[in-house]
Amino acid sequence: MFGDLFEEDYSSVSNSQYGKGKKLKTKGLEPPAPREFTNLSGIRNQGGTCYLNSLLQTLHFTPEFREALFSLGPEELGSLEDKDKPDAKVRIIPLQLQRLFAQLLLLDQEAASTTDLTDSFGWTSEEEMRQHDVQELNRILFSALETSLVGTSGHDLINRLYHGTIVNQIVCKECTNISEKQEDFLDLTVAVKNVSGLEDALWNMYVEEEVFDCDNLYHCGTCDRLVKAAKSAKLRKLPPFLTISLLRFNFDFVKCERYKETSCYTFPLRINLKPFCEQSDLDDTEYTYDLFSVIIHKGGCYGGHYHVYIKDVDHLGNWQCQEEISDSDVNLEALQNEDETDDPLMILKSILLQFLQLHPQMFLLSTDESTVSLLRNHFTQAPSDLQRSHEQILHTLATEPPGLSDNNSCPHWFDINDSKVQPIREKAITQQFQGKESAYMLFYRKAKLERPSEARANPRYRVPCHLLKEMDAANIQLQMRRAECDSANNNFELHLHLGPHYRFFNGALHPAISQTESMWDLTFDKRKTLGDLRQSIFQLLEFWEGDMVLSVAKRVPAGLHVYHTLDGDELTLGEAEITDGEDIFVWNGVEVGGVQIQTGSDCEPLLLHILHLEMSGEGSKCEQLVESPHVFPANAEVGSVFTALAVPAGVILTNSVESADGECWTAIPKEDMKKTFREQGLRNGSLILVQDSDTDDNSSLPRQGRWTSGVDELNWLQVRNFCQLDSEEEQVQIPVTTHTVVFDIRIKAIKELKLMKELAENSCLRPIDRNGKLLCPVPDACTLEEAEVKMGSSLGLCLGKAPTSSQLFLFFALGTDIHPGAEMEIIVEETLSVKDCLKIMLEKSGQQGEMWHLRKMDWCYEAGEPLCEEDATLKELMICSGDTLLLTEGKLPPPGFLKVPIWWYQPARLSGHCESWDHANCASSQDSSWGATPTQGAPVPEPADVPLLYLGDVKISEEATLLELKSKAMALPSVSKLAVQSTALLRVWTVENKRLSRLLRTGWRQLKEYRLGRRAELCLELLQKEEDLGPQDVLLRTQLHIPGERAYTRPVDLVWDTTRGWTAGSLRQRVADFYSLPVEKIEIAKYFPEKFEWLPISSWNQQVAKRKKKKNQDTLQGGPYYLKDGDIIGVKNLLFDDDDDFSTIRDDIGKENQKQLALGKKKSREVLRAQSSDVFSSAEMDTRPRGPEASLSIHVASFR
């Protein structure tokens, strides 16, 4: 349907949060994680299969579908073991669906895999990375299942559960002959645009009639002439499960682009379809449906993500929201008082079964749930784990088991988002009525469908025996793998160095005997304490005299060095920050072999290579340069080199390899001789040259260079110079491997670009995306694999240091729309609060004041929800390096309150002339507040286009009524100048895209009932007299065309009663009566201001119906008019004006401006595309444009 509408763009460089300072461990050999507290399994995303996961979970939680599929045995479907045999007829798709459903029900893993299922679809890895439309998938998957089940007892499975029937009828008014056509449906597709909700959409489709009369007659086959007729549609046959697809994606023919309809669209939890059915004489239960699944789409037209809200009909999962989980007052007394639980033995059995299922790592439950055995490896738990298990037992016994205390007043809903499953409350569904994250598909089930009591909280119900055995065996394998993995993950390999076997000489510790006898390897559980480790070492040694001190040691080039002592016997090894492979020195804490030992990183021994002149032989005057290793403490003075060489004085030179022309020797000034080796920047392996003080030439300096480089793979990166410094080269290619450290790449790039060596201390590498944008800097300590930098990509060498592991690199910008080059950058601590981060960003952007807040830009590059918790840290709000924050003007109101910008509607004069409106009567003085800007960043409408004036902001509770809002608005200083007599003389509209949108009626309703949202804007309109609009009244603004001119008179309000229908004839009659004209002597048209177009309202329906050959209702609520409150209706008096043109001079100008704007945007895109192409052309990178729309297909073998 939409093809590659949701194709995701994968850049060559990942813009993930870099640099947490930890090397990622591969999880290829680790078993999948067990289920979380909900006891439900998610489905892993293969890259772009979130739409598939959402639909599969919906089918899985449709018990009737799941059990019907389970009822088909191997004798009908075949066996997966025979799928590769040439003559075997194996129906792979239903078999893989059975297996997937069994895994979701019984396999103890956090998320199941759909790889086998998509392989049975014939999908390639590229298909699995491409996202499609879930509505399209629903039809194609059901079609594939029907084809796969031909010739089996389940051949009618889809037809039995999901197919319904619609009947279209045309009734002749003369002979009452009925022309009837029946059509089947798998799902109902309903409009969203200009419709308030599902029930309104169904009313328009199956209640309203299309009337053929006047010049729009119907040819009756029985009468054999044109006659009056009525066309209608009804639901003839209702399926047990009703699927409804919402048309949220539309096409704007003016802008020639798709857009998503995000307006409010309500749908009930229970719906009665009786008014929409052909037969209505049955019991209401035959027409009543309950909502049980909502597939939600988050994002826009060209990118998005699906997840699903699902009602757990069989109560298979543990449903507890966070506030209930944290409630510690739950006890067993409530269980005893339940009316539904009569048998105490059944209660106890249910509690025990739930506990055993929650602890598969300890207990093995048999297939028939009659016996339980204890796993062998359950004793390997650490004491802390046993304590936690004991606490969990008590918590489980004190909690009601699922299925015993549940009642219909508290339905179990879950949010299933790929691998993650979270319980939600039923009221959370209302949050998906509108917005970028909103409902996309609805699934209803007949309310009379009841589940057997055996199925309640029983995931093994109706699962075939062969699948039960397979899942039980798989669970045993998982338990064994987890036990092995748990042992491997929690066991540390420690290297024990025994103090009595070591001696201290040449500045470090060395074994007194062989290395194997001095060091013992010990495997130890990291969950145990230091006291346990000490006790184990005592038992190993059998004899130890005096105190035993455990210290962390490390091997350095000079030998073994002791760093710090491990204190606190109650600490676990993990809490003491002991890592795998740690060296532990066992000693008395004072001396080794009679020598007192200095510990700590300050006195770490450094192995230096010293070059000095020595006589070549005894009595010879020939000198030669000799290199000898020496060990010095890092905190020793540099001058101690002379003492070690027995030289009274001299000159010390250090070597640097960072120069472009080889080695560079730098003399250490005499005043720096008192500095330590570490302060002087010397490290292990540093080269030092010692000369006599009277030597003034450089004859003894070595000439050969020491720079070496090696490449074990033929890969490269391109580094471009963004340092704004003159360089002979703009970019260089650096040979790298996935294990190359970023620091080495940066230093080599600086050398090859021939830049200043000072950049080594103040530069960083930043990936470049396909649009030429610089992304978050890559930490120096990471390898390319850890930083997720792809081979062949481009990096920019930029000024400034990369953020540390505790810092965040953020982009930020002003306003709600980001333009290229408008972003600013900042590095902050991840523990910084939102309030402090806002202050820093305001200071850097040159803004002042406190009327600002932050919004996080979502992945669709649009302004997301505001960061409301000002005292929360960026880390707590999951702000990551590379995120973009928006500085938006306006102070956020407290929770439960709205901050609403209020506008004033100023009626225009003659419409169509190129003139500016006169606001002198409203805002003449300069000190008036009319010119103020909305604090929430609302755009100020252009006076020549929309007559709106800004009054100010109103802070009000969502519990307040519309009448109270009017009263608060009247208290604004700007309104006091208008002399409004009463709130009854004020009409309230919502404002969208600088225009009046929705009329708010009934002043006693609370604001939250209007579902305004946090970004709502309202407009006040002054009335000449009070009005009382009924629910069927439509308020229109009519304008009479001036004969001989391309202009209209001022708009006049007209109230149209639509009780008799939204027909064109009814509206024409109302307009004719209003202007006292014959109905046949007027022409009317609706004005579309965003397109500058007029659409005549006349006999259009019959032609449209004949051309499209489908049902159309004669209703102005639907397309192409979508008539609503506030629409402008142009009226022509044909007695004086017989011209067909409704347009004005302003319309011509507006269309031309739109055309020029579209051309400008097209040229800008072409320029940006050309610039992006230039950036990457030299790197020969494959710039991947958005691919053509590809249809979704599932390959099915023939079984006929």
Side-chain angles (χ1 to χ4, degrees), residues 950-978:
Y950 174 66
L951 298 177
D953 290 345
V954 167
K955 296 180 182 179
I956 192 168
S957 169
E958 292 179 329
E959 305 289 335
T961 63
L962 184 63
L963 190 61
E964 292 172 332
L965 173 71
K966 291 181 182 180
S967 302
K968 281 216 166 193
M970 287 181 63
L972 292 172
S974 303
V975 182
S976 61
K977 303 177 182 179
L978 301 173

Side-chain angles (χ1 to χ4, degrees), residues 1053-1070:
D1053 290 349
L1054 178 146
V1055 178
W1056 173 34
D1057 184 3
T1058 60
T1059 305
R1060 297 185 178 180
W1062 287 70
T1063 63
S1066 173
L1067 177 60
R1068 287 168 58 84
Q1069 187 64 55
R1070 177 69 182 95

Side-chain angles (χ1 to χ4, degrees), residues 962 965-966 986-991 997-1003 1005 1007 1009-1012 1016-1019 1027 1029 1125:
L962 184 63
L965 173 71
K966 291 181 182 180
L986 288 178
R987 184 186 289 159
V988 183
W989 301 81
T990 61
V991 177
S997 176
R998 181 162 54 108
L999 179 61
L1000 303 185
R1001 310 166 188 244
T1002 315
R1005 293 181 64 185
L1007 296 180
E1009 297 180 41
Y1010 294 104
R1011 305 188 187 281
L1012 298 176
E1017 301 175 36
L1018 300 179
C1019 178
E1027 67 177 6
L1029 297 177
D1125 288 318

Side-chain angles (χ1 to χ4, degrees), residues 770 1169 1172-1177 1180-1186:
R770 294 186 174 182
R1169 193 178 298 115
S1172 177
S1173 177
D1174 292 341
V1175 168
F1176 295 101
S1177 60
E1180 300 180 0
M1181 293 189 66
D1182 178 23
T1183 55
R1184 177 178 154 217
R1186 187 174 298 278

Side-chain angles (χ1 to χ4, degrees), residues 397-438:
L397 293 175
T399 308
E400 297 174 350
L404 292 177
S405 64
D406 300 327
N407 51 63
N408 294 330
S409 63
C410 188
H412 292 191
W413 283 85
F414 293 91
D415 177 12
I416 305 182
N417 191 343
D418 288 337
S419 300
K420 298 299 180 184
V421 183
Q422 294 292 334
I424 59 171
R425 294 199 175 277
E426 194 173 53
K427 63 183 180 181
I429 299 174
T430 60
Q431 299 174 5
Q432 307 302 330
F433 286 166
Q434 62 185 349
K436 295 174 186 174
E437 183 177 7
S438 50

Side-chain angles (χ1 to χ4, degrees), residues 624-655:
Q624 63 178 4
L625 198 61
V626 178
E627 179 178 343
S628 59
H630 288 265
V631 178
F632 299 92
N635 57 0
E637 296 180 358
V638 175
S640 59
V641 171
F642 300 129
T643 306
L645 295 178
V647 176
V651 178
I652 298 178
L653 298 95
T654 58
N655 173 255

Side-chain angles (χ1 to χ4, degrees), residues 785-803:
E785 184 178 19
E786 293 169 344
E788 300 181 21
V789 177
K790 306 294 184 183
M791 293 299 172
S793 58
S794 290
L795 301 177
L797 180 64
C798 306
L799 292 173
K801 295 183 179 180

